[in-house]
Amino acid sequence: MPFAQFSETEQQALLQAARQAQRAAYAPYSHYRVGAAVLDERGRIHAGCNVENAAYPEGLCAEAAALAAMVLAGGTRARAVLVAGSGGKGNRGWTTPCGGCRQKLREFGDPDLAILTASQDHTGPHYTLAQLLPESFGPDHLNPG
Ligand SMILES: [Zn+2]
């Protein structure tokens, strides 16, 4: 098993939480609904959905919302994240975190953080954060030793 950070049961719980969050997404402009679920260091799951805004740049990504929920609940580290998106032709149906969210995930996850994907109907590929954000800049750069 490539990822030891989470169990099959936790993966199924992440998928369920992300899909439930996806259904709650507020995406009246793009209709691109995304749900994300983060597994924290205590095995708890925190979900978030995208929230668009008429002033487009003010929209919020699902991953950022899920991380905020984790922080609110006292979580400090992400062990895994699952992103459920409706996808499009260009990405075969699954969604990966945008560049900004990859950096946000780096704040709470190590380079080996598991990033799982799912489309509307299927689970997609798994990645590590290092694959999606190689040679990343993280908190350890500001707090050496
Ligand atoms: Zn994002």
Side-chain angles (χ1 to χ4, degrees):
M1 182 174 176
F3 295 104
Q5 302 97 310
F6 56 89
S7 68
E8 177 66 26
T9 301
E10 288 170 327
Q11 183 176 345
Q12 287 305 313
L14 281 168
L15 181 62
Q16 186 175 18
R19 287 205 197 284
Q20 185 173 358
Q22 184 184 15
R23 287 192 290 274
Y26 178 75
Y29 308 109
S30 73
H31 306 288
Y32 193 85
R33 307 168 74 86
V34 182
V38 175
L39 180 69
D40 76 10
E41 77 280 8
R42 291 161 57 184
R44 299 176 305 171
I45 290 175
H46 312 278
C49 63
N50 60 327
V51 180
E52 293 185 346
N53 192 287
Y56 287 4
E58 297 305 320
L60 182 68
C61 291
E63 298 91 325
L67 285 173
M70 182 190 82
V71 171
L72 177 63
T76 60
R77 300 301 294 168
R79 288 168 47 203
V81 58
L82 191 146
V83 184
S86 42
K89 289 179 183 173
N91 67 2
R92 291 169 288 182
W94 56 79
T95 300
T96 53
C98 77
C101 285
R102 294 175 192 198
Q103 185 64 44
K104 289 178 177 73
L105 289 165
R106 178 65 178 88
E107 186 71 19
F108 300 100
D110 295 324
D112 67 348
L113 170 67
I115 298 176
L116 318 178
T117 64
S119 68
Q120 198 71 31
D121 304 313
H122 303 93
T123 55
H126 297 182
Y127 304 94
T128 64
L129 182 58
Q131 287 177 297
L132 299 182
L133 190 67
E135 303 298 329
S136 64
F137 183 87
D140 46 318
H141 287 89
L142 298 179
N143 300 303

